[in-house]
Amino acid sequence: MTRGVERAPHRSLLKAMGYTDEELRRPLIGIANSFNEIVPGHIHLRTISEAVKAGVRSAGGTPIEFDNIAICDGLAMGHPGMKYSLPSRELIADSCESMATAHPFDGLVFIPNCDKIVPGMLMAATRLNIPAIFVSGGPMLSLNVGGRDIDLSSVFEAVGAVKGGRIDEATLQAIEDNACPGCGSCSGMFTANSMNCLTEVMGLGLPGNGTIPAVYSGRIRLAKEAGMRVVDLVEKDIKPLDIVTEAVVENCLAADMALGCSTNSILHLTAIAYECGITLHMDDINTISAKTPNLCHLSPAGPHHVQDLMAAGGISAVLAELLRHGAIDGSVRTVTGKTLAENVADAVILNPAVIRPYDNPYSESGGIAALFGNLAPDGSVVKRSAVAPEMLRHTGPARVYDSEEDAIAAIYGGEINPGDVVVIRFEGPRGGPGMREMLSPTAAIAGMGLDKEVALITDGRFSGATRGASIGHISPEGAVGGTIALVEEGDQIEIDIPNYALNLLVDDETLAKRRAAFTPPAPRIKKGWLARYTHLVTSASEGAVLRVPGE
């Protein structure tokens, strides 16, 4: 874009913005910043960007910032806005691809923080395959209120507790006022923090990227270091696909299991693997889960938050523990210029109550499980580490709802009884469209004290803040004729998480008759971006990526 006589017009346009000849001779580093004033995880990203730019300049590069969209899942939750959250991942990837191809940068620094922004940018980085590094905005702090550390999920659950008469509105107000005390991605091991932590495992983020709180000065220093590192990556021509290999994807799954990450991480890892030309099967989840113990119980699975994980040694300590027992491959490359094993060589567990040792885990198997059966032939996903022991196996009658709104109304209306299995369908990638998160109904169930007695299954998905026997990503989804579309009120549903099973206890002959009578629901959105998305999106079992017809 800047070299040779033929590029004089290009240089002239850049000089119109004040760039000098010296700046244009240096490596041009695109800074993809997702700052906005509606997402608490992104409100401070201008500060992060300025630190990145300082690092780039100090290393001899020229930083050039461009922006990107970001949706707050918490603000989009429980209304039609959530239909746009998962699809925005594709817009983010496409936007970064467009900007970095139309204006061919030598390297890229990605500054995401929240749920779909991190995976969208990871998809873009691997798709573009030019030298790149990630530095997130960091997690929000958690405050202690009434003797317990609270977070966003505490507010959602408190709403259910008010509806169930378990707390009063003054208590809700106190939780509301203190659960989100400042900038950063919500403080539990929810989707944003899950994906930011996995950038470290993936080798595209520096150690500490997933855990240093947003308000700590260490986050600014990390951003400066990322700016410096990207210039070195450009000089050495080290690209994302030199780093993100099949072994790295397997490392990410193992770390995911040890940390007890959000179920959304499976959806996003599958999509990122697709961009790398790697196929991630749902069966792979259980294969790795079976040999990887769950070492952490961060919120919503337990009382700890990301600030506690950092103080306990961070992701490096978790990886070092896994590495000592041969659970991950330490020879893979990272943006530090060192191998993963070299990065974590000095890391130790500083608090075994937060990061349990390998031989004393919360469970012998990982925090996430994929369930299969006649109700989910292509698989479904559950955050096993956040399920009460008494709900690991459960059989109960189906309570069937064709939308999230109908289910929430029934839950708040006191229509759900102990033992029920709430079924929310036609909320998958195509049927929703957009595969909405279901934090409102799951938090209502938990807040009303039913999370140890009621299960919820859906072809939609769940927030990382969800706890309980909440099984999502059921594939095939209802809108394309998956078995979940054939469930009728009162049918018995069997959940057997230890044996990875999810079955509708209805005989094959009856199911065949129902399938013959099934008519797919009409599309809920008939124009605009989501109408196009409906025609191109794949199943959740394939990462809900977009594919052109015939691909």
Side-chain angles (χ1 to χ4, degrees), residues 374 491 504-515:
N374 71 343
D491 286 349
L504 176 63
L505 302 183
V506 173
D507 63 82
D508 291 343
E509 183 180 352
T510 300
L511 284 180
K513 290 178 180 177
R514 293 182 187 178
R515 181 164 282 109

Side-chain angles (χ1 to χ4, degrees), residues 289-362:
S289 179
K291 58 184 181 182
T292 311
N294 177 218
L295 307 182
C296 301
H297 264 194
L298 277 69
S299 177
H304 305 126
H305 291 80
V306 179
Q307 67 205 49
D308 304 312
L309 178 61
M310 186 196 74
I315 301 305
S316 291
V318 174
L319 295 177
E321 187 70 2
L322 294 175
L323 189 60
R324 277 191 286 271
H325 292 84
I328 58 173
D329 183 345
S331 68
V332 297
R333 302 175 73 179
T334 73
V335 289
T336 65
K338 301 176 182 179
T339 65
L340 182 67
E342 290 171 330
N343 283 348
V344 305
D346 298 326
V348 294
I349 296 173
L350 301 175
N351 186 346
V354 178
I355 305 172
R356 287 197 175 185
Y358 197 92
D359 56 3
N360 183 34
Y362 281 100

